[in-house]
Amino acid sequence: MSEYFWLIPLIPGVGALINGLFGKRLSRTVIHSVAVGAVALSFVLALFCLFGPFMSEGGGHVFIETTLFTWIPGMSAAQADGTTAEFTAEWQYRLDSLSMVMVLVVTGIGLLIHIYSIGYMSHDDGYWRFFTYLNLFTFFMLNLVLGANFLLMFIGWEGVGLCSYLLIGFWFERDAAANAGKKAFIVNRIGDAGFLLAIFLIFFTFGTVDFYEVMAGVAAQFETPEVGWGVLTAIGLLLFVGAAGKSAQIPLYVWLPDAMEGPTPVSALIHAATMVTAGVYMVARSAVLYEHAPNAMFVVACVGVTTAIFAASIGLFQNDIKKVLAYSTVSQLGYMFLGLGVGAYAAAIFHLMTHAFFKACLFLGSGSVIHTMEHAEHASGGHRDYNEMQDMRNMGGLLKVMPRTGWTFIVATTALAGIPLTAGFFSKDEILWSATHGGHVSLFWIIGVIAAGMTAFYMTRQVILTFFGEFRGGEKMAEHLHESPSSMTTPLVILAIGSILAGYVGLPFGASLIGPFLEPALNAGMPVESVAHHAPVLVELAFMATSVAVGLGAIFLAYRMYWGKPEGDKPFATAWPGVYRTLYHKYFVDEIYGATVVRGTLGGAEGLNAFDAEVVDGVVNGAAETTLGVADMSNLADASLVDGMVNAVWKVLASISTAFRQLQTGVLQNYALMMLVGIGALIGFFYFYLWT
């Protein structure tokens, strides 16, 4: 069965094609059956691979690969050493221990989110379109993690960016959603440019873009870590620019909080569990390169830890239930990059996996709350807008009427806060411990612990404001509050269980299972050099106890500030108005970007437009007028013949343009569908004609 692992990405692609072509004419039952069934089949096939060759034939040392077809045939290209190399790009999939973990996260968590969406989107007019986009995203994300080379990863990278745009702006009739989609698309293009330049430089340096071959080339050409700022550092930094865009790191994080304008399942699937972790996966996949570029690693660690505490501080006083989780996601991604930057690649992937469970549970839990709030508002005859339904100041006491949602949310919160014996505790502690480099207090560790304390504070605040106390949305609305349907709460229960149990594959004190499993892939099949930092158990326990104490102290502080106190943030805002205003307004970053980058870009565009209108058009129009004058002066005897030929050509061109104009609908979804059909046709041609 494992030899058919290439079907894992293909099946969701087929699901997207079916719903995309025929969804308008299919019943909702058929639509979600196709979408959920496609992801379920991919998940089952991934489990067969895990418990087949990986568990029975040597664990993480196993990898399987297949080449479907030659995508770009060989062509000569110049190399850094003055020689030429033949560039060939294969459409090749490789399943090793690292991609195995990612595939299980994408298909497993994705399956639960697909099931949840059946209830959440049940009354939406774009039901078929939503499930088409979810399946299409899954297809591209699986290509990203299974691709055996940087170029195929880039195809998946761009594909998930497209799906992110479509899903963030799914409710495009709302200006906020449409603007958020455009913002995500534009900001990610900056990161994608860095990634593309890195691919060019990789091929120019090593003559290949295959992951394993590039890492082997790094080890062969650079026996010791690079000193200074050489080519490996340049490649590492360019790759990190791409990672910072996709994984929302400073300064390219600004798109992710606004992305909460999309439906909540989108926030859970793309902006918590899968797409935003693509940058973490890419850096981990390039671990050998980063190990030979210490300056690039240091930059990764600095940006990661700065993002972690910066985003955590913003989350302290946000009132939108999803915005709190959005900034939490940015902060946790910073933790992952901190782990990568200090050489704890396995710990970063471990935290990626555990984070997928508890953050997906939290986002889906928030969606359950919003779903109930909206239904209660409509049933009571109210007309409050979408944003008010997400404001925690209008909530409270929901645990009484939504016990399954409330308790699963609380369980996931304990995991995110790093409470002992939860999944988040094990993975976060592993990163913090790695930041000590064997038991030495470092600035990275100090900042990481402070950020962890902030996380515990704002998550406790969120739980109290949402689920405890008295309901603050009005008596009429309170009468219509209810628990969400089982299609929504069952995934929450499964994710809450995973938020506890997922951590036990990475126990501390040398008992981790996931570390040894991942290391062969992280070392690209080369001899393993463990990056674990060893110290006496008591020393590690002391660091662990310190971080736990900070987290518990933050929980107690939030309890004292918000439990039974409806005034909420007012005491802090009164005592520290400047600090509160700065944090509440997110350090005014969007305003600064608007006044500098956005206004500067628009000003430049207006200047170019004026130049085009006055100078370029002036030259063209002047030339045309001169030509017409010359033509008028020349008395051409065959004017009628020329006019006849011109009219005939015009009629032909007019008929052709009329035909093609029917394809230019102006609807982006139609263009995306045409692209998907074209890609499917090309893949089908190469597969059946060449590969067979």
Side-chain angles (χ1 to χ4, degrees):
M1 183 65 74
S2 61
E3 64 268 22
Y4 297 107
F5 81 96
W6 52 271
L7 288 171
I8 294 175
L10 182 62
I11 295 172
V14 173
L17 193 61
I18 293 172
N19 279 330
L21 292 175
F22 310 109
K24 281 188 176 181
R25 294 181 290 276
L26 298 176
S27 68
R28 298 199 171 207
T29 301
V30 174
I31 290 170
H32 66 239
S33 296
V34 169
V36 174
V39 180
L41 285 174
S42 292
F43 179 59
V44 170
L45 187 54
L47 289 177
F48 270 110
C49 294
L50 175 66
F51 292 106
F54 282 91
M55 291 292 100
S56 61
E57 300 178 19
H61 293 277
V62 173
F63 70 87
I64 50 179
E65 60 184 18
T66 185
T67 301
L68 298 186
F69 54 86
T70 299
W71 175 22
I72 301 177
M75 56 184 183
S76 298
Q79 298 300 292
D81 57 4
T83 62
T84 59
E86 188 176 83
F87 175 70
T88 301
E90 308 282 358
W91 198 283
Q92 184 180 41
Y93 293 140
R94 180 179 295 129
L95 184 62
D96 58 14
S97 57
L98 178 56
S99 52
M100 184 80 257
V101 171
M102 295 298 297
V103 165
L104 290 172
V105 168
V106 173
T107 57
I109 304 297
L111 174 60
L112 295 174
I113 294 171
H114 275 70
I115 295 171
Y116 176 95
S117 300
I118 296 173
Y120 189 87
M121 302 296 292
S122 59
H123 301 292
D124 198 283
D125 294 335
Y127 196 76
W128 68 273
R129 189 162 50 92
F130 183 79
F131 278 101
T132 298
Y133 293 165
L134 284 190
N135 268 184
L136 186 62
F137 167 81
T138 306
F139 165 75
F140 280 121
M141 189 68 198
L142 290 170
N143 271 278
L144 189 156
V145 299
L146 283 172
N149 56 69
F150 282 101
L151 204 54
L152 186 51
M153 174 190 273
F154 186 74
I155 296 299
W157 191 275
E158 292 297 287
V160 295
L162 168 65
C163 294
S164 175
Y165 167 77
L166 295 173
L167 285 164
I168 293 170
F170 182 78
W171 289 320
F172 53 84
E173 65 275 7
R174 295 207 319 259
D175 288 341
N179 292 334
K182 289 184 287 186
K183 186 176 184 179
F185 196 81
I186 292 170
V187 173
N188 271 274
R189 296 290 72 73
I190 299 171
D192 295 349
F195 188 10
L196 197 57
L197 289 173
I199 295 175
F200 294 152
L201 190 53
I202 286 170
F203 179 75
F204 183 69
T205 305
F206 301 105
T208 180
V209 291
D210 182 276
F211 292 128
Y212 279 16
E213 293 177 4
V214 169
M215 300 310 143
V218 171
Q221 296 182 34
F222 300 85
E223 296 182 0
T224 59
E226 186 176 66
V227 177
W229 301 81
V231 65
L232 293 186
T233 301
I235 293 173
L237 292 177
L238 287 171
L239 287 175
F240 183 57
V241 169
K246 197 68 73 184
S247 295
Q249 297 296 285
I250 291 175
L252 302 179
Y253 75 94
V254 291
W255 67 270
L256 194 146
D258 288 3
M260 299 302 107
E261 293 293 337
T264 299
V266 175
S267 303
L269 177 65
I270 295 183
H271 307 122
T274 52
M275 190 194 84
V276 292
T277 61
V280 179
Y281 168 76
M282 190 241 302
V283 174
R285 176 60 77 188
S286 309
V288 175
L289 187 149
Y290 278 94
E291 283 292 319
H292 286 75
N295 286 334
M297 282 184 67
F298 182 73
V299 171
V300 171
C302 289
V303 172
V305 76
T306 304
T307 303
I309 194 166
F310 180 82
S313 65
I314 294 177
L316 292 174
F317 299 112
Q318 298 303 308
N319 294 314
D320 186 304
I321 189 171
K322 286 175 65 177
K323 284 289 180 70
V324 174
L325 298 177
Y327 282 105
S328 171
T329 298
V330 176
S331 180
Q332 295 305 305
L333 289 166
Y335 262 104
M336 297 174 205
F337 281 107
L338 170 61
L340 295 170
V342 298
Y345 303 101
I349 297 299
F350 179 35
H351 193 54
L352 180 157
M353 183 191 73
T354 61
H355 177 265
F357 280 98
F358 53 74
K359 188 54 66 65
C361 185
L362 290 168
F363 266 115
L364 296 185
S366 71
S368 179
V369 170
I370 296 167
H371 185 265
T372 296
M373 292 283 290
E374 289 179 341
H375 278 227
E377 176 72 3
H378 295 155
S380 63
H383 300 285
R384 280 183 285 191
D385 64 21
Y386 182 77
N387 291 327
E388 289 183 284
M389 294 300 97
Q390 298 185 182
D391 195 323
M392 295 183 295
R393 291 171 295 188
N394 296 325
M395 301 176 187
L398 294 181
L399 186 63
K400 302 172 186 176
V401 294
M402 306 181 70
R404 282 172 291 175
T405 298
W407 285 114
T408 54
F409 197 97
I410 291 170
V411 169
T413 294
T414 62
L416 177 55
I419 301 302
L421 304 184
T422 64
F425 163 74
F426 292 115
S427 58
K428 188 181 292 186
D429 178 74
E430 186 67 23
I431 291 176
L432 289 175
W433 171 246
S434 299
T436 69
H437 295 286
H440 305 284
V441 175
S442 68
L443 185 59
F444 287 153
W445 179 82
I446 293 172
I447 297 175
V449 169
I450 295 173
M454 291 180 174
T455 301
F457 177 89
Y458 64 65
M459 288 308 302
T460 304
R461 171 181 178 269
Q462 184 175 49
V463 167
I464 294 173
L465 292 179
T466 304
F467 294 103
F468 293 96
E470 297 298 323
F471 183 69
R472 298 178 293 276
E475 293 183 5
K476 289 185 178 180
M477 190 174 174
E479 296 174 359
H480 299 280
L481 295 171
H482 58 82
E483 181 62 275
S484 298
S486 58
S487 63
M488 294 172 65
T489 57
T490 300
L492 292 178
V493 173
I494 297 173
L495 289 168
I497 294 172
S499 300
I500 301 296
L501 299 182
Y504 289 86
V505 300
L507 295 175
F509 312 120
S512 174
L513 297 176
I514 192 170
F517 180 74
L518 288 173
E519 278 193 343
L522 294 173
N523 286 271
M526 294 179 289
V528 175
E529 285 186 28
S530 176
V531 297
H533 302 295
H534 301 286
V537 172
L538 289 177
V539 175
E540 187 170 351
L541 279 173
F543 279 94
M544 185 185 298
T546 302
S547 63
V548 170
V550 170
L552 293 176
I555 291 173
F556 180 72
L557 178 61
Y559 169 80
R560 290 294 303 271
M561 287 179 63
Y562 296 99
W563 189 269
K565 298 178 180 178
E567 64 271 19
D569 301 331
K570 289 182 180 178
F572 185 91
T574 302
W576 304 88
V579 174
Y580 178 81
R581 187 167 56 252
T582 301
L583 296 179
Y584 181 78
H585 290 286
K586 309 150 197 165
Y587 294 96
F588 301 97
V589 171
D590 283 330
E591 289 79 2
I592 294 171
Y593 272 27
T596 56
V597 178
V598 176
R599 185 174 297 176
T601 302
L602 292 176
E606 291 172 357
L608 289 174
N609 184 57
F611 177 81
D612 179 66
E614 299 297 330
V615 179
V616 177
D617 287 354
V619 172
V620 172
N621 293 334
E625 291 174 0
T626 302
T627 303
L628 289 174
V630 173
D632 290 339
M633 292 174 63
S634 61
N635 186 11
L636 298 176
D638 56 345
S640 59
L641 177 62
V642 173
D643 288 346
M645 293 175 61
V646 169
N647 289 333
V649 172
W650 182 86
K651 289 180 180 178
V652 173
L653 294 176
S655 61
I656 295 174
S657 65
T658 299
F660 276 99
R661 189 159 57 240
Q662 306 305 316
L663 300 176
Q664 305 302 315
T665 62
V667 179
L668 183 61
Q669 291 87 342
N670 291 349
Y671 299 153
L673 180 60
M674 292 166 62
M675 291 170 59
L676 179 62
V677 172
I679 292 172
L682 287 173
I683 293 175
F685 170 77
F686 282 112
Y687 174 72
F688 289 106
Y689 183 72
L690 296 179
W691 193 51
T692 57

